Amino acid sequence: MLTQFIIALFVLRTHAGYDIFNFISTLARTLLGFANQGVVFLTDEDVPNVGWFLIGVIPPIIFFVALVALLFHVGLIQWFIGKFAVFFFWTLRVSGGEAVVASATPFIGQGESAMLIRPFVPYLTLAELHQVMTCGFATIAGSVLVAYIGLGLNAQALVSSCIMSIPASLAISKMRYPETEESLTAGKVVVPENEEDKAANPLHAFANGAWLGLKIAGMIVATLLCIIAFVGLINGLLTWWGGYWGISNPDLTLQFLLGYIFYPVAWLLGVPKGELLQVGELIGQKIIINEFAAFLALTTDPRYTSLSPRATIIATYACCGFGNIGSLGTQIGVLSQIAPNRGGDVSRVAISALIAGIFSTLTSAAVAGMVYTEGIGLASKVLNQ
């Protein structure tokens, strides 16, 4: 909590803090943005501007998986993980694999960050699997950050939330699922040899990575489609049942129910009294659908655009994470594809990691509620100028 508070002060109250984290996010977005050149070649130059999930998120994942495979073949990934392993083991007592994912997730996303430790995923302990998934649920990626800033959301809030939720995810995950096994990357890194999939040269490694990226992308698309469709089915049944009992305005849906469930949560975050239900509904939309739906409603729906600056800032922090049902399918799909033999373990800890990730994001919103003053609006105007 102290780390979160210090990061919030550094990013929200200083120009240098915002610039540093914004620069890192810009580099990550630029790297993943190179995938658009391949999309343009295969389709048309206007396609990357369509704004579809299938176009904006899936191609960067395929490209990044191939790039990581190439970097691993030349030994750069092993060196990077080794340095992180030693540093974080002696400072935070977390393993190198956990530290790498935690550090990379705010900038490159939940699927891509897991690829950084791909050779180690089959050997992760259950606590490490839980931690890797929690980090992915706790924050958003730099690849989508620019889209949310483009919606008109507070850029400082988005950038600082990405960073603040990481120490929270480490703490909450370890409280929820403590380490009881011996980690392969605890203080040192022993790279497991995989002769079966070993590439003959860098070009072979890059091609293998592209094929793996395609399989991961297919798994993500399939799981997202099925989970979101299942939520729609539940909403349809609830609406029918609500109509039978005369509940039709508004329709009885999971989002509606979660709005009241998160009513006390919004109060605990420091939301003004008259706006608790609206913020609770936004948090519910973020969990049931995704953070994009919540952010879009926050910036376009008249019910939410009239919120006070304080409620808007807190809602932005509370929704700034991949902790939703759709991302649950993404995490399971990516990790199960990377390590098919750990599919059962991944599914076993997935729900717990999702809850821990949601709580991590909410703690960042609570800290922001403490640190926030009207001066943040003035700081944003200065930065825009």
Side-chain angles (χ1 to χ4, degrees), residues 71 79 86 92 95 103 106 126 130 138-139 178 195 206 211 225 227 230 253 276 305 381:
L71 295 178
W79 178 86
V86 176
L92 299 177
S95 69
S103 302
L126 284 176
H130 190 275
T139 184
E195 296 295 335
F206 193 76
W211 174 239
L225 187 151
I227 288 178
F230 185 67
T253 62
L276 295 173
T305 54
K381 293 179 180 178

Side-chain angles (χ1 to χ4, degrees), residues 80-104 117 124-125 127-132 134-135 166-175 177-189:
F80 183 75
I81 293 178
K83 300 301 181 183
F84 267 84
V86 176
F87 176 76
F88 281 98
F89 177 75
W90 291 108
T91 54
L92 299 177
R93 295 297 176 182
V94 297
S95 69
E98 292 172 319
V100 169
V101 173
S103 302
I117 59 167
L124 294 179
T125 66
E128 287 179 312
L129 280 175
H130 190 275
Q131 175 63 66
V132 167
T134 299
C135 286
I166 292 305
S169 69
L170 290 169
I172 292 177
S173 178
K174 291 306 178 187
M175 287 192 292
Y177 216 109
E179 183 63 83
T180 58
E181 304 173 68
E182 182 66 30
S183 171
L184 187 67
T185 60
K188 63 182 187 301
V189 175

Side-chain angles (χ1 to χ4, degrees), residues 191-260:
V191 180
E193 291 290 338
N194 190 350
E195 296 295 335
E196 181 180 350
D197 297 327
K198 188 175 181 180
N201 53 52
L203 182 61
H204 187 202
F206 193 76
N208 287 343
W211 174 239
L212 177 61
L214 183 62
K215 291 193 290 184
I216 291 175
M219 180 71 73
I220 291 173
V221 170
T223 51
L224 278 176
L225 187 151
C226 293
I227 288 178
I228 293 176
F230 185 67
V231 170
L233 171 63
I234 294 176
N235 281 340
L237 293 173
L238 286 174
T239 301
W240 173 82
W241 187 74
Y244 179 79
W245 290 99
I247 306 173
S248 58
N249 189 20
D251 291 334
L252 184 63
T253 62
L254 284 174
Q255 293 93 313
F256 176 79
L257 294 174
L258 285 174
Y260 281 95

